Amino acid sequence: VSRNASGARAAVFGASGGIGRALAGQLAEAGAARVHAGARQPAPPGHPALAPFAFDLEDEPSIARAAQAIGEHGPLDLVIVATGMLHGEGLRPERSWRELDAAALARFFAVNTIGPALVAKHTLPLLRRDGRAVFAALSARIGSIGDNNLGGWHGYRASKAALNQLDRNFAIELKRINPQGIAVALHPGTVDTPLSGPFQRGLPEGQLVPPEVSAANLLGVIAKLEPADSGGLFAWDGSRIPY
Ligand SMILES: NC(=O)c1ccc[n+]([C@@H]2O[C@H](COP(=O)([O-])OP(=O)(O)OC[C@H]3O[C@@H](n4cnc5c(N)ncnc54)[C@H](OP(=O)(O)O)[C@@H]3O)[C@@H](O)[C@H]2O)c1
């Protein structure tokens, strides 16, 4: 399978999220042969190509079990990690170093960095080795160190920067087993989901997009990726963001 979803086998981790659900649905609609759609509480599939599975980012055996089951259906053309966290119970982005809290930082890293890294550990070996294959982790522009002129949101920013670095490492390692293997980090834009909900006030007109638009943009970017792009951080419009 080359660049479009038709006939592809894909896995989306975080298919219960705003962007992840739209990604899985659009891959299925585009004719993917099978879209493994993972969530902590998987929903009944809305399309025959969708194959729900359960996993928790903070439970590695659940990721290993999911990968084992996915692998039984054949090698994957595409893995997307669409999970992430910006706020939660007793957890909000820090505005100052005064708000730094060890437990909160550990949560940000557990969900935004370590979980996706463990998904990579168990799914990179499932990518096909005889042709183009893509691993894409949803990151964020604000995880870019070079692009950081605003500060704040320490835990989220740092956990995404660490994810970007890991992704770069995966790209290097993947190339050794498949020169057509591509690993990237993607910025989905500012998207109307529960993750961005509390922070949508004061956004410039037109910046906030529905998850379906973001997912279509991201699938367009993924379709155009070349092996030379592997290891990069790309925005929803295909532009490269500095690490
Ligand atoms: N929305 C934006 O404006 C924006 C901007 C930049 C980057 N991003 C990135 O885009 C990605 C998707 O975000 P979104 O906006 O679609 O957010 P969302 O709607 O809040 O979805 C987050 C997803 O992460 C999953 N998740 C969280 N903790 C998990 C855990 N411990 N185990 C398994 N799954 C877990 C959630 O699963 P449950 O349903 O089980 O909670 C859900 O599927 C994230 O990486 C985010 O950082 C979003």
Side-chain angles (χ1 to χ4, degrees), residues 38-137:
R40 287 190 281 198
Q41 275 146 14
H47 189 284
L50 289 173
F53 68 92
F55 80 104
D56 191 319
L57 285 175
E58 296 175 85
D59 174 14
E60 184 178 1
S62 77
I63 300 171
R65 277 195 302 276
Q68 165 87 32
I70 290 169
E72 281 164 16
H73 295 274
L76 296 173
D77 302 282
L78 173 63
V79 173
I80 303 178
V81 187
T83 53
M85 183 189 62
L86 171 59
H87 59 89
E89 252 186 69
L91 204 72
R92 53 167 201 192
E94 316 85 347
R95 278 161 304 183
S96 158
W97 63 57
R98 288 185 300 276
E99 293 171 22
L100 282 174
D101 173 78
L105 283 172
R107 293 281 312 135
F108 279 120
F109 276 84
V111 175
N112 291 339
T113 315
I114 298 168
L118 294 172
V119 172
K121 171 183 171 183
H122 293 283
T123 59
L124 286 168
L126 302 181
L127 287 179
R128 67 185 311 130
R129 299 190 184 186
D130 58 351
R132 187 173 183 278
V134 177
F135 175 89

Side-chain angles (χ1 to χ4, degrees), residues 9 30 71 80 99 120 144 154 173 184:
R9 270 190 296 261
I80 303 178
E99 293 171 22
S144 161
H154 299 300
E173 203 170 329
V184 291

Side-chain angles (χ1 to χ4, degrees), residues 92-208:
R92 53 167 201 192
E94 316 85 347
R95 278 161 304 183
S96 158
W97 63 57
R98 288 185 300 276
E99 293 171 22
L100 282 174
D101 173 78
L105 283 172
R107 293 281 312 135
F108 279 120
F109 276 84
V111 175
N112 291 339
T113 315
I114 298 168
L118 294 172
V119 172
K121 171 183 171 183
H122 293 283
T123 59
L124 286 168
L126 302 181
L127 287 179
R128 67 185 311 130
R129 299 190 184 186
D130 58 351
R132 187 173 183 278
V134 177
F135 175 89
L138 296 199
S139 185
R141 183 187 295 279
I142 74 167
S144 161
I145 293 172
D147 202 58
N148 180 6
N149 301 306
L150 212 66
W153 295 20
H154 299 300
Y156 184 75
R157 251 186 222 281
S159 62
K160 290 293 194 183
L163 173 64
N164 296 345
Q165 178 70 284
L166 284 165
D167 197 78
R168 178 80 160 223
N169 267 359
F170 300 149
I172 291 167
E173 203 170 329
L174 181 61
K175 195 175 170 184
R176 295 188 194 128
I177 56 168
N178 179 5
Q180 293 193 72
I182 298 168
V184 291
L186 298 176
H187 168 62
T190 309
V191 190
D192 188 4
T193 69
L195 180 137
S196 68
F199 311 98
Q200 293 176 358
R201 255 175 306 145
L203 284 173
E205 179 80 29
Q207 186 170 322
L208 189 70

Side-chain angles (χ1 to χ4, degrees), residues 204-227:
E205 179 80 29
Q207 186 170 322
L208 189 70
V209 302
E212 293 73 23
V213 170
S214 173
N217 289 334
L218 292 171
L219 292 177
V221 172
I222 289 171
K224 291 205 189 84
L225 290 171
E226 302 285 346

